[in-house]
Amino acid sequence: MNKNTFLLARRISLANTQLMSAWYYFARDRHLNENALSVLYALDDGAAHTQMQLCRDWLMPKTTINTCIRDFAQKKWVKLSPSPKDHREKQIHLTAEGRRVAKTLLRPLYQAEKTTTEETVKQFSDTFVDALEYFAAHICSSLEHERNRSPNQT
């Protein structure tokens, strides 16, 4: 890797770390952990989700998703219903109470996202999102390939 590529990769990693730290502190200030915040955020799109969809989309282990969903169900924030596609899976929906909690807890996050996205698009255009998605998909693929390599290849 040449020096410029190395420095660009480091800048991206640092920016990602700063984003994740902001997410961590936002969650902590609301007495949630990052995973619970991520699940609540994911469920607040109005669609039904399964645990497997949440695992795949948010890159979290099934046990982590299950722990969050059980906690949310205990608090009456979610309801579970059979999935029409696979009866072994349950669809997860926010309840009215869950939507109220999400609206209250996530409002500052949504406002920060809105303002920051508008400012960033004004400065750099919306192609920055395409570039970020491309980068994320390819680094995930590269690291997945590395993880799947046999031990004797390292």
Side-chain angles (χ1 to χ4, degrees), residues 11 22-23 28-29 36 86 90 103 105 107 121 123-124:
R11 286 174 59 195
W23 192 266
R28 190 184 74 174
D29 291 346
D86 183 350
K90 301 283 188 216
K103 182 178 178 183
L105 288 176
R107 182 181 299 125
V121 167
Q123 178 78 23
F124 298 101

Side-chain angles (χ1 to χ4, degrees), residues 2 9-10 18 35 60 65 78 85 88 105 108 128 147:
N2 70 42
R10 299 283 293 194
Q18 291 169 341
N35 294 325
M60 283 191 255
I65 298 289
V78 297
K85 294 179 183 176
R88 294 170 295 173
L105 288 176
F128 93 94
R147 193 169 70 227

